[in-house]
Amino acid sequence: MSGNDEHEDEVSSFGSGKHSSVVWSYFDKLPVGPGGIQKASCTGCGKVFSANSGTSNMKRHLPKCFDLNEPGPPKKRAPLDQEMYREKLAYSIIKHNYPFSYVEHKGTRDLHKFLHRDVKPITRNTAKADVLKIYDREKTILKEKLQKVNGRVCLTTDLWSSITTDGYMALTAHYVDENWVLRKKVLNFKVIPPPHSGKILAEYMINFLADWGIQKKVFTITLDNAKYNDVLVNCLSSHLRLNNVLVCDGDFTHVRCSAHVLNLIVQEGLKVIEGAIEKVRESVKFVRGSGARKYKFAECIHHLSLQCGKYVRQDIVTRWNSTYLMLDSALAYRKAYARLALVDSSYKSFPTEKEWARVETITELLKPFYNITTLFSGSSYPTSNLYFHNVWRIQMRIEDAINNTDNVISGMAKEMKKKFDKYWENYSMVLSFAVVLDPRYKFKVVEFCFKKLNMEDKVRKEKLDIIFNGMHKLYDKEYGIFSTTSSSTVKSSNTSVSTRDDLDGLESFTSEFKKVENEKSQLDMYLEEPELNRREELDVLQYWKDNQGRYPQLSLMARDILSIPITTVASESSFSIGGRVLSKYRTSLLSSSVEALLCARDWLFDLEGR
């Protein structure tokens, strides 16, 4: 519209008594006010404008309330919810590890302004405040959820050193919620100034638990085998023991990380056989040494029509699982290495047939270790009923390898056995309970597994008795009928005369005594029932959820035991996210902001790796 046209609109809008301007499709004329002042209100937002001097001011307002480019009748433009816009920005920062300055980037602001012209840009400080607000809100929600958890809470914790060399302590809670779903939540990711002694770490742990209000709900804590962790558990147990909140006075509190123990066992064995795998390592280095060698090796693979789909892997000496993967892929290309030795005279590290046979035996021995470590360290955090028979499989493999005719393999297995006996000569008792609470196995699998091992009958019976008696002790003291009965002294509120009776409670005691005589405990009843088919897939938590009516108290015990984490992988997984949050480009980020970003991401998005 030209300037003259606009002027004509302004002149004729009221002078002629007709509303010729387009704005009157969007504005309502108001009654003439004092002094003959004419006003009009926007039908979109209700804002009032003066109409005496023309309609240009109203035209400028139209795009804020209406989509003028849309055909048809006028459509009201949806107003922008600025608070929601800021919250969505904060969510994107938390979920994708964006820097707070992301909201100040010109491209970001231009995009948001394009999407809605009412957007009000915010600063990095405002974005940070919004993230902290979300953190505080979600922490309050999680606190309330933890208070409502009927069962116990199991913990894992570990230390991490950031790129700035600051030590961070991650504390993770594991529990089964009201829907019988296993949950994992990172409670704290706090910077801990040195020294990192067990006593100091225990003090931080005690403060964390008090802040969350779950010190009376602690069941177990899973830790790696660092020496300071033994001190940590002792100090923490002593504190909780003062309030009489430890399960069975702390007999089952400390659980050792199974993945860490497996790593120690394998690393001990690899020290013995380092020479046996050196030629394979040198062969891989040779092939990966240049583009020409890679091409020649690929020609060998093509000539032999090898299609195993595996990469030629170089191991990291300090990571035994990478060594296993290197050996496994090398065996798949064994013939290709043999052909390479024929066509390339500079390739000098080709293993002999005897060495290949040894590598094959080593790989077969390490395979169950690798599979079980992968299972234990899975992102789905498996329930603890997987612990017993997988540790038993490890023991079986080691004992078989001790009898190997190859002295190198036998020596490797003997060193592994020493480390196994140090940590697992007596299987973790509370984790062994978990396989008994799997209705496909119960005690029969424990008896069967021990019978298959090379141990004397007396030793086997002692181990069985330890697990059997320990399980009954836990049930009777914490979940069985004795833990739910109590006597009370009856007092009259209508008289000041004491009505104390020294034999008060005799009737309830006699009733419970008869109940013990005449009825079996829920644990005994469960154990006497026939096992389910072990070959069928079974969600153990779902089984106990479905059988709450039959075993109301035993199901509570099963829920708590099955939520015990086998490894500390839940805490360790937060370290990879922490490395992204506190990257080399964000070293000045405050530790409080790091904790807020990481914990809020876990609570909102479950630490998705996106």
Side-chain angles (χ1 to χ4, degrees):
M1 182 180 290
S2 67
N4 290 335
D5 292 336
E6 182 177 326
H7 178 71
E8 289 175 4
D9 273 350
E10 291 175 0
V11 172
S12 64
S13 59
F14 286 105
S16 63
K18 296 180 180 179
H19 301 167
S20 57
S21 175
V22 70
V23 302
W24 297 111
S25 298
Y26 308 95
F27 281 82
D28 290 331
K29 177 181 168 185
L30 298 177
V32 178
I37 298 175
Q38 180 68 60
K39 294 184 178 182
S41 66
C42 173
T43 58
C45 65
K47 189 173 182 180
V48 177
F49 294 83
S50 172
N52 282 77
S53 57
T55 60
S56 57
N57 56 341
M58 290 183 276
K59 284 183 179 179
R60 286 191 296 270
H61 174 74
L62 284 182
K64 297 181 179 180
C65 291
F66 299 94
D67 289 320
L68 299 179
N69 296 326
E70 292 289 330
K75 296 179 181 178
K76 189 183 295 186
R77 180 186 291 275
L80 175 69
D81 186 335
Q82 185 69 19
E83 290 298 317
M84 182 58 68
Y85 163 70
R86 285 173 50 179
E87 182 158 303
K88 291 293 185 183
L89 270 181
Y91 278 164
S92 65
I93 290 172
I94 293 169
K95 186 172 185 178
H96 301 292
N97 299 321
Y98 293 149
F100 293 127
S101 60
Y102 157 76
V103 300
E104 295 181 344
H105 294 169
K106 187 176 185 303
T108 301
R109 289 185 169 182
D110 288 345
L111 172 63
H112 296 170
K113 199 71 176 177
F114 168 76
L115 295 174
H116 204 296
R117 64 180 65 210
D118 293 345
V119 164
K120 297 178 181 177
I122 61 175
T123 65
R124 67 183 70 190
N125 289 331
T126 303
K128 176 182 175 181
D130 289 343
V131 167
L132 294 176
K133 181 180 177 182
I134 291 174
Y135 166 76
D136 290 335
R137 182 187 69 202
E138 294 301 320
K139 182 175 181 178
T140 301
I141 293 172
L142 181 56
K143 265 188 178 182
E144 293 174 355
K145 288 181 179 179
L146 291 174
Q147 296 304 317
K148 293 177 181 178
V149 171
N150 293 325
R152 293 277 179 169
V153 176
C154 301
L155 306 172
T156 57
T157 186
D158 208 348
L159 294 178
W160 173 69
S161 182
S162 71
I163 192 172
T164 57
T165 69
D166 292 321
Y168 281 80
M169 184 178 188
L171 177 65
T172 309
H174 307 255
Y175 61 93
V176 175
D177 65 14
E178 66 278 4
N179 297 317
W180 287 78
V181 176
L182 183 59
R183 299 293 183 187
K184 178 272 310 174
K185 299 294 179 183
V186 178
L187 301 184
N188 295 91
F189 195 78
K190 186 76 71 176
V191 66
I192 308 293
H196 296 152
S197 67
K199 187 174 181 180
I200 291 175
L201 295 177
E203 291 177 2
Y204 278 100
M205 178 86 66
I206 291 165
N207 291 332
F208 293 161
L209 298 178
D211 179 41
W212 286 97
I214 59 173
Q215 59 268 51
K216 294 183 179 181
K217 291 179 176 284
V218 175
F219 185 18
T220 66
I221 177 167
T222 302
L223 302 161
D224 64 27
N225 293 288
K227 290 183 178 179
Y228 60 78
N229 280 331
D230 292 333
V231 180
L232 185 157
V233 172
N234 291 335
C235 293
L236 179 63
S237 298
S238 298
H239 176 82
L240 297 178
R241 196 174 285 116
L242 292 175
N243 297 321
N244 197 29
V245 296
L246 277 178
V247 174
C248 288
D249 199 35
D251 288 351
F252 311 116
T253 302
H254 190 186
V255 177
R256 295 189 183 275
C257 173
S258 297
H260 193 257
V261 174
L262 277 173
N263 180 62
L264 293 175
I265 292 171
V266 177
Q267 291 288 8
E268 198 69 20
L270 289 178
K271 292 177 184 177
V272 177
I273 62 162
E274 184 60 32
I277 59 177
E278 189 59 33
K279 278 195 174 181
V280 174
R281 183 177 289 122
E282 291 301 317
S283 295
V284 173
K285 286 181 180 178
F286 178 84
V287 168
R288 292 165 58 93
S290 68
R293 291 175 184 174
K294 290 178 183 178
Y295 180 76
K296 187 174 290 187
F297 189 69
E299 284 186 329
C300 293
I301 294 173
H302 178 72
H303 180 81
L304 295 168
S305 301
L306 299 178
Q307 296 180 349
C308 67
K310 294 182 179 180
Y311 295 102
V312 177
R313 296 177 179 270
Q314 177 71 58
D315 72 330
I316 301 172
V317 178
T318 56
R319 297 182 183 178
W320 74 267
N321 54 338
S322 70
T323 301
Y324 163 77
L325 292 172
M326 179 188 72
L327 298 179
D328 185 52
S329 64
L331 284 170
Y333 294 115
R334 179 175 174 176
K335 291 182 179 180
Y337 283 110
R339 178 171 176 79
L340 182 64
L342 296 174
V343 300
D344 191 338
S345 59
S346 61
Y347 174 38
K348 304 292 186 180
S349 54
F350 178 65
T352 64
E353 287 299 315
K354 184 178 179 180
E355 288 168 334
W356 275 120
R358 182 172 292 165
V359 167
E360 191 169 5
T361 304
I362 293 170
T363 305
E364 289 175 0
L365 177 60
L366 292 182
K367 184 175 183 179
F369 286 81
Y370 177 80
N371 292 337
I372 292 171
T373 300
T374 303
L375 175 66
F376 282 176
S377 305
S379 59
S380 58
Y381 308 117
T383 48
S384 55
N385 59 304
L386 300 177
Y387 165 85
F388 183 88
H389 39 271
N390 280 299
V391 172
W392 169 74
R393 287 191 179 103
I394 291 297
Q395 188 172 3
M396 288 281 290
R397 298 298 186 279
I398 293 175
E399 291 187 355
D400 289 344
I402 288 176
N403 299 320
N404 195 289
T405 54
D406 188 324
N407 291 333
V408 174
I409 300 298
S410 178
M412 171 188 178
K414 287 176 182 177
E415 292 303 314
M416 294 170 75
K417 184 69 164 61
K418 290 178 184 178
K419 192 66 75 172
F420 181 96
D421 289 343
K422 179 179 179 180
Y423 294 107
W424 279 341
E425 183 177 12
N426 292 317
Y427 292 17
S428 173
M429 193 188 307
V430 70
L431 291 178
S432 298
F433 298 164
V435 75
V436 179
L437 292 169
D438 188 326
R440 297 169 295 178
Y441 301 111
K442 301 188 180 180
F443 260 108
K444 285 186 178 180
V445 75
V446 180
E447 296 176 12
F448 173 82
C449 290
F450 282 163
K451 189 174 182 180
K452 294 273 287 185
L453 295 172
N454 297 323
M455 64 175 66
E456 297 177 357
D457 291 343
K458 181 182 178 181
V459 175
R460 180 169 66 248
K461 186 178 184 307
E462 288 176 354
K463 290 180 178 291
L464 287 170
D465 288 344
I466 289 173
I467 296 176
F468 183 85
N469 295 331
M471 193 166 187
H472 278 79
K473 175 184 177 181
L474 177 61
Y475 175 77
D476 290 340
K477 289 192 67 173
E478 302 294 335
Y479 302 93
I481 56 175
F482 298 112
S483 64
T484 59
T485 59
S486 61
S487 61
S488 58
T489 302
V490 179
K491 296 183 179 179
S492 173
S493 59
N494 298 324
T495 177
S496 60
V497 179
S498 173
T499 59
R500 176 178 177 180
D501 182 355
D502 289 338
L503 294 179
D504 184 45
L506 176 61
E507 293 78 10
S508 61
F509 173 78
T510 304
S511 173
E512 292 299 337
F513 185 75
K514 290 179 179 178
K515 185 182 293 185
V516 174
E517 282 186 327
N518 299 326
E519 297 182 13
K520 295 179 180 178
S521 71
Q522 293 175 21
L523 177 57
D524 291 328
M525 292 167 59
Y526 162 76
L527 293 176
E528 289 178 1
E529 285 189 349
E531 293 82 4
L532 302 182
N533 186 350
R534 70 179 180 87
R535 300 186 185 279
E536 291 183 1
E537 289 292 328
L538 177 70
D539 184 334
V540 182
L541 284 175
Q542 185 64 43
Y543 169 86
W544 284 107
K545 178 183 179 182
D546 295 339
N547 285 273
Q548 288 180 90
R550 297 173 59 213
Y551 304 117
Q553 291 163 293
L554 185 60
S555 64
L556 300 181
M557 176 172 156
R559 176 195 57 195
D560 291 343
I561 290 176
L562 292 170
S563 66
I564 299 173
I566 304 173
T567 70
T568 59
V569 67
S571 292
E572 292 172 3
S573 65
S574 62
F575 299 156
S576 60
I577 304 298
R580 299 178 198 173
V581 173
L582 197 60
S583 66
K584 63 181 180 180
Y585 303 108
R586 305 175 74 183
T587 54
S588 60
L589 203 61
L590 294 177
S591 59
S592 57
S593 299
V594 174
E595 182 175 40
L597 287 165
L598 189 140
C599 290
R601 177 173 178 177
D602 178 64
W603 303 338
L604 292 168
F605 310 111
D606 200 27
L607 278 180
E608 295 173 356
R610 290 184 286 180

